[in-house]
Amino acid sequence: MLNIHRTTTMAGKDFGNVERLLMDYMSVDSTTENEGQMACMVSAAQTLVDSHPEVAEQIALLFVVGEEVDHVGMQKANEFTTLQPEYLVVGEPTELKFATIQKGATTINIGIIEGGQAQNAWAESAYARIFVRVTTSVADVQKKLEDIVAGRASIEVTSYNEPVVLSNPPLPYPTDQVAFNTDLPYYSRLSSLKGKYLFGAGTIKVAHSQREFVPKSELHACKDALIALVLKLCS
């Protein structure tokens, strides 16, 4: 099964024929995480329909929403009892490398700090919102955070998931860790899969930026890699 998440803010935009997207640079909002990966997956599937129809019958395409917020799309997909894939390939901008682990090194992002009412007064209240990329376990990180806070503030965990160790690719492609989250931990049949892969064109370094783009050469290479991967897994 080939899976990609859609950014709901892109609804209503018309990108035309998928094959046309592979002709030039893609340079629109969510190109790296959404539209570029989707173009590669759809184009790869269509190519397999034409060249290997017996293999194409074994492919499923799953496009979901909510990955950036609450993963509601993947959680809804868990209700599809007839959807029982042996392999799951998630599209993300991994620079044409197969990811070995989702979230890479443990990092902390301090997103928001707010508090106080004036510069010359003690703050009546304050809060911070932080994001931790976990590589050990959620319990381990929470315990360390509680030790640091030491009762001086309350801690509220709003969402979490454990890191995901991915399968070794059956193709001779480079591998690397990735320092971002995906829908993978929210797929309820993850442990029963024969293989789980995270792969795609483009780089996360330009995702959600004003200069977001994916080179057309990487889109073509990603499409070819997906075709080769499907043929290998279905052989």
Side-chain angles (χ1 to χ4, degrees), residues 53-85:
E54 72 287 353
V55 173
E57 291 180 355
Q58 304 177 55
I59 301 174
L61 298 176
L62 177 64
F63 301 151
V64 298
V65 297
E67 189 265 0
E68 304 282 359
V69 184
D70 54 9
H71 306 273
V72 65
M74 183 59 82
Q75 294 184 63
K76 183 64 178 180
N78 290 330
E79 300 176 13
F80 303 157
T81 56
T82 57
L83 195 62
Q84 301 283 346

Side-chain angles (χ1 to χ4, degrees), residues 53-232:
E54 72 287 353
V55 173
E57 291 180 355
Q58 304 177 55
I59 301 174
L61 298 176
L62 177 64
F63 301 151
V64 298
V65 297
E67 189 265 0
E68 304 282 359
V69 184
D70 54 9
H71 306 273
V72 65
M74 183 59 82
Q75 294 184 63
K76 183 64 178 180
N78 290 330
E79 300 176 13
F80 303 157
T81 56
T82 57
L83 195 62
Q84 301 283 346
E86 294 183 339
Y87 302 94
L88 177 60
V89 183
V90 176
E92 289 280 357
T94 64
E95 302 178 11
L96 297 178
K97 301 174 184 177
F98 278 87
T100 56
I101 184 173
Q102 175 183 298
K103 293 191 181 180
T106 298
T107 57
I108 298 177
N109 180 64
I110 303 175
I112 299 174
I113 299 178
E114 289 187 357
Q117 59 280 351
Q119 68 267 27
N120 62 341
W122 288 101
E124 294 183 359
S125 63
Y127 83 96
R129 297 183 65 177
I130 68 173
F131 181 88
V132 182
R133 294 184 175 91
V134 181
T135 56
T136 53
S137 70
V138 173
D140 174 62
V141 171
Q142 187 169 355
K143 176 62 167 57
K144 289 179 179 177
L145 186 58
E146 290 172 349
D147 291 343
I148 293 172
V149 173
R152 292 171 293 180
S154 60
I155 300 173
E156 178 185 1
V157 179
T158 56
S159 67
Y160 64 88
N161 60 260
E162 303 291 349
V164 177
V165 177
L166 297 147
S167 304
N168 292 323
L171 300 172
Y173 275 79
T175 59
D176 201 358
Q177 300 178 350
V178 294
F180 51 79
N181 199 20
T182 73
D183 275 325
L184 273 166
Y186 296 87
Y187 182 60
S188 62
R189 304 179 187 90
L190 195 66
S191 61
S192 64
L193 293 170
K194 291 183 179 180
K196 45 187 178 289
Y197 307 98
L198 187 59
F199 177 82
T203 173
I204 196 67
K205 297 173 184 176
V206 298
H208 304 295
S209 70
Q210 292 184 350
R211 61 188 185 91
E212 183 170 359
F213 72 96
V214 181
K216 66 177 183 179
S217 59
E218 289 195 23
L219 294 174
H220 284 293
C222 181
K223 170 189 172 181
D224 293 342
L226 290 174
I227 292 172
L229 178 62
V230 169
L231 291 175
K232 181 69 174 179

